[in-house]
Amino acid sequence: MTLAPRHIRDSQTTISQLMHLADANPVGNIHGGMVMRLVDEVGGICASRHAGRPVVTVAIDSMSFHSPIFVGNLLTVKASLNYVGRTSMEVGVRVEAEDVLTGEITHTNSAYLVYVAKDENGEAAEVPPLLAETADEQRRMVEGKQRQEERVRRRRARETRGTCG
Ligand SMILES: CC(C)(COP(=O)(O)OP(=O)(O)OC[C@H]1O[C@@H](n2cnc3c(N)ncnc32)[C@H](O)[C@@H]1OP(=O)(O)O)[C@@H](O)C(=O)NCCC(=O)NCCS
């Protein structure tokens, strides 16, 4: 069955959340794991919106934190699809922290995540093609395809060696 293509903007997802003491370590910096959870959650919503199905995370590329996030910051997590394969989808997620007293916004980290849509039997399910219209969207799609090909190549190499990780 051929699925109708969908626009990138139709699945773009943004969530803002105030950072509380419970999200922080004893010196007041927000835990990296807390940020990673939000990144995965928002990326998953974006992928589910595109697929119209539940999704699972199959890969998260390396994530580094450029600057600390503090208690009281408003964290905004934005997710947008870059590339889709047959059943997989690469989502780019950007995290920004706002000091709500000064309005200063800091880009704290970005990540690429890959999700796979699941059907009613838990099998990988086909997803709609992605419509990339602007030059930026088309560039991201080409780059996303190259990254995904590299992930698949690394996966095959791991399987050939019989190792995981
Ligand atoms: C995701 C999952 C269904 C894929 O199963 P699988 O047997 O590897 O299925 P396939 O080989 O058909 O791969 C399905 C798609 O995932 C992609 N994929 C698989 N492993 C990947 C990896 N390590 N990195 C990137 N993409 C990967 C494949 O390229 C394929 O994409 P395509 O259909 O667009 O070409 C399975 O690995 C799984 O259930 N993993 C656990 C997911 C999970 O529990 N996540 C954490 C909690 S949500």
Side-chain angles (χ1 to χ4, degrees):
M1 184 181 58
T2 310
L3 299 167
R6 303 197 64 186
H7 291 281
I8 290 174
R9 61 174 175 271
D10 291 338
S11 54
Q12 281 173 336
T13 304
T14 301
I15 284 181
S16 292
Q17 191 168 312
L18 192 67
M19 293 294 103
H20 293 275
L21 263 180
D23 306 318
N25 64 22
V27 293
N29 288 14
I30 300 305
H31 287 295
M34 159 73 194
V35 180
M36 288 163 76
R37 181 193 164 132
L38 266 177
V39 164
D40 190 20
E41 203 165 83
V42 179
I45 295 168
C46 175
S48 274
R49 278 179 161 167
H50 179 79
R53 291 183 176 279
V55 300
V56 291
T57 316
V58 68
I60 301 181
D61 287 1
S62 71
M63 213 188 286
S64 40
F65 297 90
H66 314 309
S67 46
I69 302 165
F70 300 108
V71 171
N73 282 172
L74 183 68
L75 210 66
T76 295
V77 184
K78 300 178 186 175
S80 185
L81 271 171
N82 291 325
Y83 168 76
V84 308
R86 197 181 75 80
T87 66
S88 65
M89 296 160 278
E90 188 202 82
V91 178
V93 181
R94 179 185 170 93
V95 183
E96 292 172 348
E98 179 183 345
D99 179 330
V100 290
L101 302 181
T102 64
E104 188 187 350
I105 294 174
T106 309
H107 172 214
T108 62
N109 61 297
S110 293
Y112 298 115
L113 301 92
V114 182
Y115 298 87
V116 172
K118 291 275 187 129
D119 68 13
E120 298 70 19
N121 303 313
E123 304 292 334
E126 206 177 319
V127 298
L130 190 62
L131 283 174
E133 291 172 317
T134 67
D136 264 354
E137 288 176 351
Q138 285 163 6
R139 175 185 51 78
R140 288 194 194 105
M141 186 181 277
V142 169
E143 292 170 358
K145 183 171 191 288
Q146 288 166 350
R147 280 188 297 269
Q148 180 61 0
E149 285 168 353
E150 177 59 20
R151 291 183 196 103
V152 170
R153 194 195 59 72
R154 285 201 309 264
R155 180 193 170 183
R156 291 214 181 99
R158 280 198 302 272
E159 286 173 351
T160 307
R161 288 198 309 270
T163 56
C164 58

